Amino acid sequence: MSSMSSMPLLPNTPGVLSFLALIPDYDADPAAARALMDHVRQQANARDRNAREADAREANASEANASGADARGASAHGTDARGVNPRRIDPQEIDFRRFKGSSISAHVLLAGPPTARAAALADAQAAGVDQAWFIPTPSAIAQTPTPTPTPMQTQTQTQQYVDLFTSALQSDALAGLLPSALMLVDAQADNEAFAGALAARLGATPLGRCTELEFDAQGALRATRGAYGNRLNITLSGDGTMIAAIRPKSLPAATSAAPAAAGAARPDCTTVHTLDNLPPPRAALSCAPLPRNELHAGLDGARIVISGGRGMGNDQAFPMLYDIAAKLGGAVGASLPAVDAGWAPVTRQVGISGKYISPDTYLAIGISGTPQHLAGIDPHTRIIAVNKDPEANIFNVAQAGVVAEWQALLPALLNALESYPPQHKDHQ
């Protein structure tokens, strides 16, 4: 893998011939799983269409070269020297398997409890993938004992899924797909860790979290991703087996409702399989939770984060931030200047030198919005900013903003939340 400037695209390479969605825990988020399946079907359709258009251009160019002498005598009415109107080849008439050696296919490999098998495979059929493999989650994979698992529990479970998917992908059933497959996972923290570990086990090219996946006429992949804390976009190319984390995009109904090319998979043509004879994953590590040094909820996995920065002026507001976070069921964060001033512990620092977080909502109080701080926040997070400076950079990236002093706004917000019970009574 290298940057596009140092890796020329070679003609006549087979490129990506199959897309494979990887879903290690279907039951965790069925809607996200279905979106990923739809995405691989759409990617395969688009790749199929591009290949047909390229083959049509190739066929038309060959026909034009072969009749060059006749073409020189063509009339202004579009006929050749023999008075025949040449017919252009339509891309839909091309069976590009004659040219490229294979068709573009879409598949899914997913795991879940045996009770989820019917729903998972029904979603795969509705998405119209070519083949779906379901792995019944063995009892050896530890089930999360609490709604918020500890980092050690999450890491252990991720490693067990890596064991399971490695065995499946190296089995006779799927090994034939890997030489030219692009594997995709939904871009969530646990899935990205899973993808990286799986790439290492398979010797695949890890592309990380990508924002765009594009293909040229030869099928060579161009993957765009953020770098240096998302302050810069880079474009990578690769071949062979690759794995990327993406956020599936919603396409117009007309695009997703029908296959983009003749011969593409139809919902009633999905072949389903169950892989229930795989070697069991390694045993789970024994985890014993230890008391936290503080009673407040941690940043890891928080869906709502309320952070304070230098603009707050002092540490008097942070107790109020903890109260608001408890009412909202979230966690408290801080910018580097706030941590340096001693207003919050370093464990709550958000940014390029602190934690990377991906909450649904991020409430920034008195934070200017430097690139170093924003690098610690997932690009898909909704940011709500409160700052007394109307020119603060945070307003350029916020979905909603309030120009106000925190002393006026936070007490009013806390007062409005008083009628709601705390969402987290135990933060151990």
Side-chain angles (χ1 to χ4, degrees):
M1 182 177 63
S2 62
S3 66
M4 290 299 298
S5 59
S6 61
M7 182 175 183
L9 301 175
L10 302 178
N12 302 320
T13 56
V16 172
L17 298 180
S18 59
F19 293 82
L20 180 59
L22 302 180
I23 303 168
D25 189 1
Y26 169 83
D27 244 17
D29 193 342
R34 171 60 194 276
L36 186 62
M37 291 186 242
D38 286 338
H39 187 80
V40 297
R41 178 72 271 168
Q42 293 158 1
Q43 287 278 0
N45 287 349
R47 173 75 184 92
D48 179 281
R49 181 177 61 250
N50 291 343
R52 290 175 183 275
E53 291 172 352
D55 288 339
R57 288 193 297 269
E58 180 180 335
N60 285 320
S62 298
E63 183 174 320
N65 290 335
S67 59
D70 290 337
R72 284 192 293 271
S75 70
H77 297 287
T79 59
D80 62 19
R82 297 166 295 177
V84 177
N85 191 356
R87 184 180 71 87
R88 299 290 294 174
I89 298 176
D90 187 274
Q92 295 302 321
E93 299 178 23
I94 294 288
D95 181 359
F96 70 89
R97 287 172 291 185
R98 295 186 293 111
F99 295 87
K100 306 301 182 186
S102 180
S103 60
I104 310 301
S105 56
H107 312 279
V108 60
L109 174 62
L110 67 166
T115 54
R117 178 185 182 277
L121 294 179
D123 274 349
Q125 291 175 312
V129 296
D130 296 284
Q131 297 191 76
W133 290 270
F134 181 79
I135 305 172
T137 304
S139 57
I141 292 185
Q143 299 301 309
T144 303
T146 61
T148 306
T150 66
M152 180 61 74
Q153 290 169 333
T154 299
Q155 291 170 15
T156 296
Q157 197 173 57
T158 296
Q159 187 56 61
Q160 290 179 308
Y161 280 125
V162 171
D163 291 348
L164 207 59
F165 275 65
T166 299
S167 298
L169 290 166
Q170 291 178 338
S171 68
D172 293 340
L174 286 98
L177 295 176
L178 293 188
S180 56
L182 174 60
M183 297 182 285
L184 300 176
V185 300
D186 187 34
Q188 300 176 13
D190 295 346
N191 285 344
E192 291 180 52
F194 163 79
L198 184 63
R201 292 283 293 276
L202 296 175
T205 301
L207 298 174
R209 179 181 289 219
C210 299
T211 56
E212 296 289 343
L213 299 172
E214 298 178 338
F215 300 88
D216 68 1
Q218 286 74 39
L221 173 65
R222 292 170 177 161
T224 302
R225 59 166 296 173
Y228 301 104
N230 289 318
R231 287 177 287 171
L232 177 69
N233 283 334
I234 60 173
T235 302
L236 308 173
S237 64
D239 55 16
T241 306
M242 297 170 284
I243 183 166
I246 53 96
R247 286 281 180 100
K249 295 181 178 179
S250 298
L251 296 185
T255 304
S256 57
R266 299 188 306 275
D268 59 347
C269 291
T270 300
T271 304
V272 298
H273 315 268
T274 300
L275 300 174
D276 51 7
N277 293 315
L278 298 175
R282 70 191 75 179
L285 297 176
S286 177
C287 301
L290 299 176
R292 292 173 55 88
N293 292 330
E294 56 178 324
L295 297 178
H296 305 290
L299 284 171
D300 294 326
R303 307 319 306 164
I304 298 175
V305 173
I306 177 170
S307 278
R310 177 171 24 211
M312 300 181 72
N314 54 57
D315 64 350
Q316 296 178 6
F318 270 85
M320 197 177 303
L321 296 186
Y322 286 114
D323 290 341
I324 293 173
K327 293 291 184 181
L328 295 174
V332 170
S335 67
L336 173 61
V339 171
D340 285 345
W343 304 342
V346 70
T347 54
R348 299 200 172 273
Q349 181 182 330
V350 175
I352 198 168
S353 58
K355 286 183 176 289
Y356 182 89
I357 59 173
S358 55
D360 294 328
T361 303
Y362 185 77
L363 183 56
I365 311 295
I367 292 176
S368 62
T370 64
Q372 291 84 352
H373 183 76
L374 296 176
I377 306 170
D378 188 283
H380 299 88
T381 294
R382 295 185 296 271
I383 297 177
I384 301 174
V386 177
N387 201 297
K388 63 182 180 181
D389 179 9
E391 302 299 323
N393 183 61
I394 193 72
F395 291 123
N396 294 326
V397 295
Q399 277 68 42
V402 179
V403 178
E405 296 277 1
W406 68 264
Q407 293 92 334
L409 189 139
L410 291 187
L413 175 59
L414 184 58
N415 184 63
L417 294 172
E418 284 298 334
S419 59
Y420 295 91
Q423 298 298 306
H424 290 283
K425 296 181 179 179
D426 184 5
H427 300 305
Q428 301 296 321

